[in-house]
Structures are given as structure tokens and as C-alpha cells.
Amino acid sequence: MSEPGTSPARRRCGRRVLALVAAHTLVLGAVGVAAAGPTDGAPAAAAGRAVAAAPGLYAGGTFTRAGGTTVDRVAVWSGTAWSGVPGAGPDGPVTAFTVYQGDLVVGGSFLTAGGVRVNGIARWDGSAWAPLTGPAGTGVMSTPLDFVDALTVFDGDLVVGGQFLTAGGVAANHVARWDGTRWHPLTGAAGTGVDVGPVSDLVVHDGALIVAGGFSQAGGLATNRIARWTGQAWSTLGTGFNGEVLALAVFSGALVATGGFTEAGGVPAARIARWDGGAWAALGGGLDAEGRALAVHDGALVVGGHFSEAGGAVTNYLARWTGTAWAGLAGPGGTGTDDTVLSLAVHDGRLVAGGFFTTAGGVAAAHVAAWDGATWAALSGPAGAGTDGGVYALHSV
């Protein structure tokens, strides 16, 4: 299966192309989404146990090699080398990670993981893959165009966002929660889930779950691409945005959103804005094109995406906001990367970026690179550096 390529097309469009190609061989309609009984799959991991997955930086995407080693779209960086998870991995693109009840949870556009039918989401306990099942079904994919794009943990449940109508056979509309045994919708007074997928990101802020994407309604309430879920009801964050929200983060106590919008809460905000609990505000001059990933590193907010400038300064797909000004992430041979950044994480004190790029700070770094605050470095293995395809997700364990 080929990757979407290095064009500026949004990552979900690339995954839809992948899904259409996969449909010729996977044909969900023919195979069907198998209904799972209460005992199907491995038991849920015990709450509070240590993480079973090996420590390291996990990368997911469309790649099949990392550091020259053969992998199945999931790879682990130990600090010195890349490896895959033992046995077969997901059979399609991986776009999201989190840890829930001690297991690594992986989401994307895949039907199987380790040869087990999982339908877009699976958990890895350090030795085997298992589906997320409920009495009515398994996973979230019911058509070849469905996928998971966001994962987080809220109020003891795993929350899943993306493009899907059902979760475990339960009507959910692009966002759902799994309690370790069953799937549940996020239902409001006038509706369930959101009206249009995908849900692009999820984060917990000020005691509530924040859901972002391209939707106009959540729980039947007009929300404009971002909404707040308390565990009981949906609510708005001001008047929302005039364009899609692709990533969320919490920085200095405030909620930060980035994406393709030019207004937030009715005020000008060039593709990145902050919410202080009462109103939206711009972050300086913002970005000249979409932001797609956010992280906090060394006391600054870092944004990655498809932009070339932040606050009027040339930054090349990556920029840092200190709270007062924008700056680039420079290396020995340049600033930023040579193509789109889709994912960010902090691992062993360094910022790690993933995407479609081949250089970072002028250093050869195939699709993934680390920045220590002063210089860029590739993540190399014994037989090569980086990956042979796009890196859509990063997670430090």
C-alpha cells in the first residue's frame, strides 16, 4: 500500500485515497464487521497497572521500514535504534496513539493488527494485539473510508475520534468512549456525537473533554468546529471557528487550537488561537497556512504544519511561540523542515517531529527528526535513518 505522498493535501484526504485502494482487497462490505460477544478478545487491562508496551518513542504512519528495519506501520525508537513490535502490525495507516489501562492503544485506517480483526483501533499489551470489543461489535470501521484520527483518556474512559458512524455496533457519530468493556456514545439533549467527521483531535482542559474537527454541531448544539463535553452534556467555547480545527494542546493553562481557520470567536486569528476560559485570542501574527500538530517543549508552544511563516518570520513548517513572539527551530544547515510536519511529541527531553519531510535544520532526516533546543538530528538505526513513508503519529511511553 503506497503512502499519500508529499503534497500539501490534508492527511485525511491521503488516508481516504489509501482506503479506496484498500477497498479493492479488503472490501468491508463483503467481509462485514463481525459482531463480538462479551468474551471476545482479551480482557481489559487492570486499571493503574504499569504500561505493558516497551518504553520508547512510538511512531505510526504508512511506512514499512524504520532505520532500515522492516516494520508494519508501527515502530519504536529506543534511543539508539528502531524496532517493530513482534509479529505483524496493523494492515493499514496508523494515525493516533495513547495509553489506556496499561496498554498502548493504536488507531487509524486498518482492519487487522497482528492478524486479529480490530476495525480501526487496537491495543498492544507488550506481547499481542487485541480488539476493543463490546456486546454489539468490534472497533469503529464499518466502511473502507472510516478511520480513527484522535485518542485520549477522560474520566476513566478511552475516548476515540475520527470518521465513523458506529463504535462497537453502537451509533456514535464520529466520537465515542470505551470503558474497557463496552462502547458508549457522547449524547446531548438534541443529538449524539457530531454532525460531520472527522473529529481531528481531543484534549482534556479545565476538567472537560475538548473535541475539535470540521463539524458545525455537537450533540445537536451549534458549536462551529470545537465543543466541550463534561461527561454529561455538550457546550460551546464561544462562537467557535470559521474553518477546520486540526490540533489541540494546553499551554500555560490555556487551550490552544490550530488548523485552517482565520477567525476564532469572531476575532481575526490566523490559523492558531488560545482560549482563556472566556474568549478566544490570536497568537501574534499567526500562521500563513494550516497548522496540524501542537506540543509543549522547553517552556514554549511548538506548532507544525504546512505553513512557511509564523508571525511574519520564515520558519518552514515548524515554529515556537514563547508567549510573546514567534521563532523558528534552527539547525546547522537551516530552519525547520523541507516539507509538511504532521505530528509532534517530546521524548527524552527532545522535541520530535514527524511528517513528509526529508531534511530538518538542513540535516538529512527521513520523515522523523529530533531537536534538542539548538540542533536537529536524524533518528537512525543500524541500516538507515528515519522511515520510508510518512509519519502521522508520535507518542512517548
Side-chain angles (χ1 to χ4, degrees):
M1 188 181 291
S2 61
E3 68 172 297
T6 57
S7 76
R10 294 176 181 171
R11 58 179 173 170
R12 74 170 188 277
C13 295
R15 288 198 303 278
R16 286 173 178 168
V17 172
L18 286 165
L20 285 169
V21 173
H24 290 291
T25 54
L26 298 177
V27 193
L28 264 170
V31 176
V33 178
T39 60
D40 288 350
R49 83 176 195 198
V51 177
L57 176 73
Y58 284 75
T62 57
F63 53 84
T64 56
R65 296 183 71 80
T69 299
T70 299
V71 297
D72 280 335
R73 302 169 188 88
V74 174
V76 191
W77 169 254
S78 68
T80 57
W82 288 100
S83 62
V85 297
D91 67 353
V94 169
T95 51
F97 292 111
T98 196
V99 171
Y100 179 65
Q101 294 185 344
D103 291 344
L104 180 75
V105 181
V106 179
S109 180
F110 50 86
L111 293 184
T112 67
V116 177
R117 187 63 178 250
V118 294
N119 298 330
I121 186 166
R123 51 198 176 98
W124 170 255
D125 67 3
S127 60
W129 292 99
L132 277 65
T133 61
T138 295
V140 302
M141 288 185 69
S142 56
T143 80
L145 296 183
D146 291 343
F147 55 84
V148 171
D149 209 20
L151 297 168
T152 196
V153 177
F154 173 67
D155 200 20
D157 292 340
L158 174 71
V159 185
V160 182
Q163 180 167 293
F164 53 85
L165 295 180
T166 64
V170 176
N173 296 329
H174 314 298
V175 60
R177 59 186 180 89
W178 189 69
D179 65 9
T181 303
R182 294 173 177 267
W183 286 95
H184 306 271
L186 278 61
T187 301
T192 294
V194 301
D195 61 338
V196 178
V199 166
S200 298
D201 209 359
L202 302 162
V203 75
V204 178
H205 176 252
D206 197 23
L209 175 73
I210 310 301
V211 180
F215 53 86
S216 60
Q217 295 182 2
L221 181 70
T223 56
N224 293 326
R225 301 170 183 90
I226 193 164
R228 187 173 185 267
W229 168 257
T230 64
Q232 301 292 327
W234 290 97
S235 60
T236 62
L237 283 78
T239 56
F241 297 88
N242 71 337
E244 190 173 17
V245 177
L246 296 173
L248 300 168
V250 177
F251 175 62
S252 296
L255 174 68
V256 180
T258 191
F261 54 85
T262 56
E263 290 185 359
V267 301
R271 301 169 188 89
I272 190 164
R274 65 186 295 273
W275 171 258
D276 63 6
W280 289 101
L283 273 68
L287 314 174
D288 69 344
E290 284 184 343
R292 301 187 183 183
L294 292 165
V296 177
H297 175 252
D298 197 22
L301 177 73
V302 182
V303 57
H306 188 64
F307 55 89
S308 60
E309 295 183 0
V314 175
T315 60
N316 297 324
Y317 308 103
L318 278 163
R320 299 172 69 244
W321 172 256
T322 63
T324 57
W326 288 102
L329 281 68
T335 297
T337 62
D338 67 344
D339 207 337
T340 304
V341 171
L342 296 176
S343 54
L344 295 169
V346 176
H347 181 69
D348 284 345
R350 297 193 296 177
L351 176 76
V352 184
F356 292 146
F357 55 85
T358 58
T359 65
V363 175
H367 308 114
V368 60
W371 188 70
D372 63 7
T375 190
W376 285 96
L379 276 62
S380 301
T387 66
D388 67 347
V391 173
Y392 291 159
L394 293 165
H395 190 78
S396 181
V397 174

